Amino acid sequence: MSIVTLQSVKKDFGIKELLKDANFSLDTNDKVGLIGTNGSGKSTLLKMIAKLESIDSGQILVNSGAKIVYLPQQPDMDENHTVLEQVFADSGEQMNLVKEYEELSDKLAHYPDDSQLMSRLSTVMERMDATGAWEVETNAKIILTKLGIVDFDVKVGTLSGGYRKRIALAAALISEPDLLLMDEPTNHLDALSVEWLQSYLNRYRGALLLITHDRYFLDKVTNRIIEIDRGDIYNYTGNYSYYLEKKALAEESAVSTQRKHQGLLRRELEWLKKGPKARSTKQKARIDRAHELRDTEFKEINGKVDISTVGRRIGKKVIELKNVSKAYNNRTLIHNFTYEFSPEDRIGIIGGNGAGKSTLMDIMTARIKPDSGSVEIGSTIHIGYFNQHSEELLTAVDDDQRVIDYIKEEGEFIQISDGTKISASQMLERFLFPGNQQYAPINKLSGGEKRRLFLLRILISAPNVLILDEPTNDLDVQTLAVLEDYLEDFNGCVIVVSHDRYFLDRTVDRIFALEEGGGLRQYPGNYSIYLDYKKAEEAEKQEPPKTVIAEKVISPVAETKKARRLSNWERREFEELEGKIAKLEAEKTAAERKLATVAGNYSQVQKLYEEVETLKKNIDLSTERWLELAEMDS
């Protein structure tokens, strides 16, 4: 049964046509991912379905009685509400009952013998039973806790934007609508919260229409993909992996069709040049066909971002941090951290919200000073810092600066990777900013388009160290895929702060995990390998005791590890293992990619399969040894 149906919907913002003739419906069991480049109209489409944005023509039909809830990227909230009050703000009687119950319980804690309070509490509890408010309150507290919020009485006005988004997400989930519209629900969530939300939505009985940059999340949650591509709507029945497969086939088919069309047009034009006389109906029809072929227009394939900026030389000394510490409000974020970054480093920095990741980035870029320790930046280093908030770009927005003027501040002409120079306007076109948008003020761009523009500004400055603080927030999946390819070939140091598991897996080969108390623990490999380490550590903690002495449980392994520190040889082995594991992982990835291309050759398939299995065993053995040495070194 359809919940929402769009019929010939059109939307035009003047400088861009967002929807030309949109037709699709959302059914009760649909879990739909909405994708498209930044500025293609994804958020606008959600707002139109939520009746927060008008349509120019067509109609949107909503099943009578259907409950639709919209979760925006930046939800509005009452700053005087507590967390629990905000979650129940749209729950009517249930919210009032929960609020009154909490107030009465608090009063009775101070006046336990007050009979009037007891009588009123009894009445409220009966109403809570009748309306199901008990279950709703319990669910709300469980969901809030899973999303990292444990203080339910704190005022919303004291919380950061990230925590407000979590509260809005919790409110949307407990409302259990027939259709849930979600705009970037994973922004500001750490990896554990994202995994929990993924699991929750897999069990969710209502329909979903969501925008997200998290491709693992998109792949696990959705059973259908809707793509907006330059005003047109394309439907794919299946998850994100299925979409990628079908999209590639569709593009191959489009290229083939266009090639055949060009061949036919060439032959018809040659025939016309011979000057045939239109003596017969047959010849007249052929002339008309030639003109029709000539006038046929094809849409360019996909409208992909093209990153081909030039780099610059990087010296041996990059960034050196020695005994760096930083605390705020008596809370230590970074404690005695020492590390010398190399030109080849690909490092991912992870940690919970407020753990100090952005603070560390600001220290590394000399934006803030550490409380103690030193930071040295190499003389040849040019840092490109793509931060969460893009302060430079926000300043430009306030000034109503034009898009092209913002880019021209880096130069009228920009050198690209093949050594040639192109104009600022041509570079903008490669980043999917057509001519009419280039002369518009930046404040006319969508949030994602502003982020893409800011990214372009950084890349054309030719950095040799890239520091990316939550780069996946608000960037579309197409731009992220191209950025990942760019980073793979980038000749310099890359440091990434991100909660995006897919992005980290594609771009880094070492993880720094910020821990409570300001420690940074290092793990070789990408994010998935880090998770394997954590699972192994948890499994080791759960191992049954091996030896009992005087009623004290002692593990022989633990005794051995406590008995001594690493020898010089073991320390050298420990340091070398990090690089070895990363190299083995790279070899395994290369072998797996090659395996996918030789499906028809049995002998090669068998050989590569055995190679992959051998590499997996070597990775497991090396990882096990690394964990053993790491535990001794801790």
Side-chain angles (χ1 to χ4, degrees):
M1 182 180 70
S2 293
I3 299 173
V4 172
T5 301
L6 275 71
Q7 296 180 347
S8 300
V9 172
K10 296 183 179 181
K11 184 67 177 179
D12 194 326
F13 275 152
I15 62 172
K16 181 184 289 187
E17 187 177 28
L18 296 183
L19 294 176
K20 296 177 181 176
D21 186 28
N23 293 278
F24 68 87
S25 62
L26 298 171
D27 296 335
T28 51
N29 296 320
D30 278 339
K31 302 286 192 294
V32 182
L34 183 60
I35 66 174
T37 56
N38 292 131
S40 60
K42 302 186 297 295
S43 295
T44 301
L45 179 56
L46 290 192
K47 291 175 184 176
M48 290 193 294
I49 295 174
K51 299 190 181 302
L52 299 174
E53 181 76 48
S54 63
I55 61 177
D56 294 337
S57 63
Q59 55 183 341
I60 299 178
L61 305 175
V62 179
N63 188 19
S64 60
K67 183 179 180 181
I68 298 176
V69 169
Y70 167 58
L71 175 68
Q73 287 194 46
Q74 297 178 329
D76 291 327
M77 295 187 175
D78 187 334
E79 297 196 349
N80 293 316
H81 274 167
T82 66
V83 168
L84 209 55
E85 287 171 347
Q86 184 62 50
V87 168
F88 285 101
D90 297 322
S91 299
E93 184 184 6
Q94 287 178 327
M95 181 269 180
N96 292 329
L97 287 169
V98 170
K99 183 178 179 180
E100 188 172 1
Y101 172 79
E102 297 285 351
E103 290 174 350
L104 289 168
S105 298
D106 184 59
K107 288 178 181 178
L108 277 168
H110 295 87
Y111 307 103
D113 298 326
D114 191 317
S115 59
Q116 287 186 330
L117 288 176
M118 286 294 297
S119 175
R120 180 56 190 162
L121 182 64
S122 177
T123 302
V124 169
M125 290 170 68
E126 288 177 7
R127 287 299 303 152
M128 290 179 74
D129 284 330
T131 61
W134 289 112
E135 183 180 351
V136 173
E137 183 192 23
T138 301
N139 287 342
K141 290 181 176 179
I142 291 172
I143 290 172
L144 285 166
T145 302
K146 292 292 185 181
L147 293 175
I149 298 175
V150 294
D151 188 347
F152 309 133
D153 297 321
V154 67
K155 295 289 186 182
V156 169
T158 65
L159 299 176
S160 67
Y163 278 102
R164 294 186 189 198
K165 180 69 175 283
R166 292 170 183 227
I167 295 168
L169 175 57
L173 294 177
I174 67 164
S175 65
E176 296 187 343
D178 300 293
L179 172 61
L180 185 53
L181 308 172
M182 310 176 82
D183 196 345
E184 295 289 2
T186 62
N187 274 10
H188 307 294
L189 295 185
D190 57 34
L192 290 176
S193 296
V194 170
E195 287 184 14
W196 174 84
L197 178 61
Q198 179 178 292
S199 176
Y200 185 95
L201 293 179
N202 280 330
R203 302 189 305 270
Y204 184 67
R205 289 175 293 189
L208 295 173
L209 178 60
L210 62 92
I211 302 167
T212 181
H213 61 264
D214 189 322
R215 284 150 290 176
Y216 282 152
F217 187 85
L218 200 59
D219 207 44
K220 296 292 185 183
V221 171
T222 63
N223 57 25
R224 185 174 157 207
I225 297 292
I226 292 177
E227 180 184 22
I228 305 178
D229 184 6
R230 287 157 289 180
D232 295 322
I233 293 284
Y234 299 92
N235 270 284
Y236 299 85
T237 303
N239 62 5
Y240 183 66
S241 295
Y242 178 87
Y243 155 78
L244 290 176
E245 179 183 341
K246 294 302 179 183
K247 182 70 173 177
L249 291 173
E251 290 186 353
E252 288 175 13
S253 176
V255 169
S256 176
T257 300
Q258 190 168 354
R259 191 180 297 119
K260 290 176 182 177
H261 173 272
Q262 289 170 344
L264 183 57
L265 175 59
R266 189 163 47 250
R267 290 193 296 273
E268 293 299 305
L269 289 174
E270 288 172 358
W271 179 80
L272 281 177
K273 287 177 182 178
K274 294 177 181 178
K277 297 178 181 178
R279 290 191 300 265
S280 69
T281 303
K282 185 175 180 181
Q283 286 178 323
K284 179 68 166 61
R286 190 167 181 181
I287 293 170
D288 290 341
R289 185 177 66 165
H291 288 302
E292 183 179 337
L293 285 168
R294 182 193 61 194
D295 295 336
T296 301
E297 294 183 1
F298 286 88
K299 179 183 282 188
E300 291 181 17
I301 296 299
N302 204 31
K304 292 179 180 175
V305 174
D306 181 8
I307 298 178
S308 56
T309 58
V310 72
R312 70 175 77 197
R313 187 184 71 83
I314 184 171
K316 291 184 178 180
K317 185 174 182 179
V318 182
I319 302 173
E320 294 181 8
L321 282 74
K322 294 180 181 178
N323 303 318
V324 167
S325 295
K326 186 68 179 179
Y328 285 109
N329 299 322
N330 296 321
R331 179 168 174 254
T332 301
L333 298 179
I334 301 158
H335 176 66
N336 202 32
F337 177 56
T338 297
Y339 187 77
E340 184 177 333
F341 291 89
S342 74
E344 298 82 22
D345 267 341
R346 296 287 190 278
I347 292 175
I349 299 177
I350 63 173
N353 287 307
K357 303 183 297 296
S358 295
T359 298
L360 179 59
M361 299 300 97
D362 286 338
I363 289 173
M364 290 167 53
T365 56
R367 296 191 172 207
I368 61 174
K369 291 183 178 180
D371 296 336
S372 61
S374 63
V375 179
E376 295 183 18
I377 300 174
S379 59
T380 64
I381 297 306
H382 182 85
I383 297 175
Y385 186 21
F386 186 71
N387 61 20
Q388 279 196 66
H389 309 293
S390 310
E391 286 89 354
E392 295 89 342
L393 187 56
L394 294 175
T395 301
V397 172
D398 293 338
D399 293 338
D400 293 328
Q401 189 175 18
R402 296 188 306 180
V403 170
I404 194 165
D405 293 334
Y406 179 71
I407 294 301
K408 281 183 176 180
E409 287 178 353
E410 286 292 335
E412 293 278 346
F413 292 90
I414 297 145
Q415 187 173 342
I416 57 177
S417 55
D418 63 5
T420 60
K421 288 189 175 184
I422 63 174
S423 68
S425 179
Q426 289 173 312
M427 196 70 203
L428 280 164
E429 286 178 355
R430 290 183 175 215
F431 254 60
L432 303 188
F433 292 102
N436 59 343
Q437 262 194 316
Q438 294 178 18
Y439 289 89
I442 293 175
N443 57 29
K444 294 293 184 183
L445 302 180
S446 70
E449 285 174 317
K450 291 174 184 174
R451 294 274 284 171
R452 178 157 27 99
L453 182 65
F454 185 54
L455 175 62
L456 173 59
R457 172 73 179 264
I458 289 170
L459 296 181
I460 63 177
S461 69
N464 49 25
V465 173
L466 270 174
I467 298 179
L468 309 174
D469 190 0
E470 296 293 359
T472 62
N473 285 359
D474 299 322
L475 286 180
D476 56 76
V477 293
Q478 292 92 333
T479 301
L480 289 175
V482 177
L483 177 59
E484 287 157 0
D485 290 337
Y486 172 85
L487 293 177
E488 194 170 310
D489 299 323
F490 179 71
N491 183 32
C493 175
V494 177
I495 304 163
V496 178
V497 172
S498 181
H499 291 134
D500 190 312
R501 302 160 293 174
Y502 190 102
F503 190 82
L504 287 173
D505 279 352
R506 283 274 330 253
T507 58
V508 307
D509 55 25
R510 182 177 295 185
I511 295 291
F512 286 1
L514 267 163
E515 299 179 337
E516 192 67 32
L520 273 123
R521 189 168 183 185
Q522 300 180 31
Y523 296 84
N526 61 18
Y527 185 77
S528 291
I529 297 171
Y530 158 78
L531 288 180
D532 290 339
Y533 286 136
K534 297 302 289 184
K535 288 175 184 175
E537 289 172 3
E538 288 301 316
E540 189 173 323
K541 290 178 184 177
Q542 300 302 320
E543 281 185 2
K546 302 294 172 56
T547 306
V548 178
I549 300 176
E551 298 184 350
K552 182 178 179 181
V553 179
I554 302 175
S555 165
V557 175
E559 275 193 300
T560 303
K561 288 174 182 175
K562 289 180 181 178
R564 61 180 178 84
R565 305 292 292 175
L566 292 179
S567 67
N568 290 336
W569 182 86
E570 287 170 332
R571 181 165 297 283
R572 188 160 54 249
E573 180 190 8
F574 178 55
E575 292 170 352
E576 290 173 353
L577 273 172
E578 293 188 358
K580 180 182 177 182
I581 293 169
K583 184 181 178 183
L584 288 169
E585 282 291 340
E587 290 174 357
K588 181 172 78 72
T589 300
E592 287 172 339
R593 287 176 179 170
K594 193 173 181 181
L595 183 61
T597 66
V598 294
N601 189 322
Y602 176 78
S603 61
Q604 275 193 286
V605 168
Q606 185 64 26
K607 182 180 178 182
L608 285 167
Y609 177 79
E610 290 173 356
E611 182 182 341
V612 169
E613 290 303 305
T614 301
L615 286 166
K616 284 181 179 178
K617 289 178 182 177
N618 288 337
I619 289 169
D620 289 340
L621 288 171
S622 298
T623 300
E624 186 177 342
R625 177 58 175 163
W626 185 91
L627 284 169
E628 181 183 349
L629 294 172
E631 190 67 28
M632 292 169 64
D633 191 47
S634 60

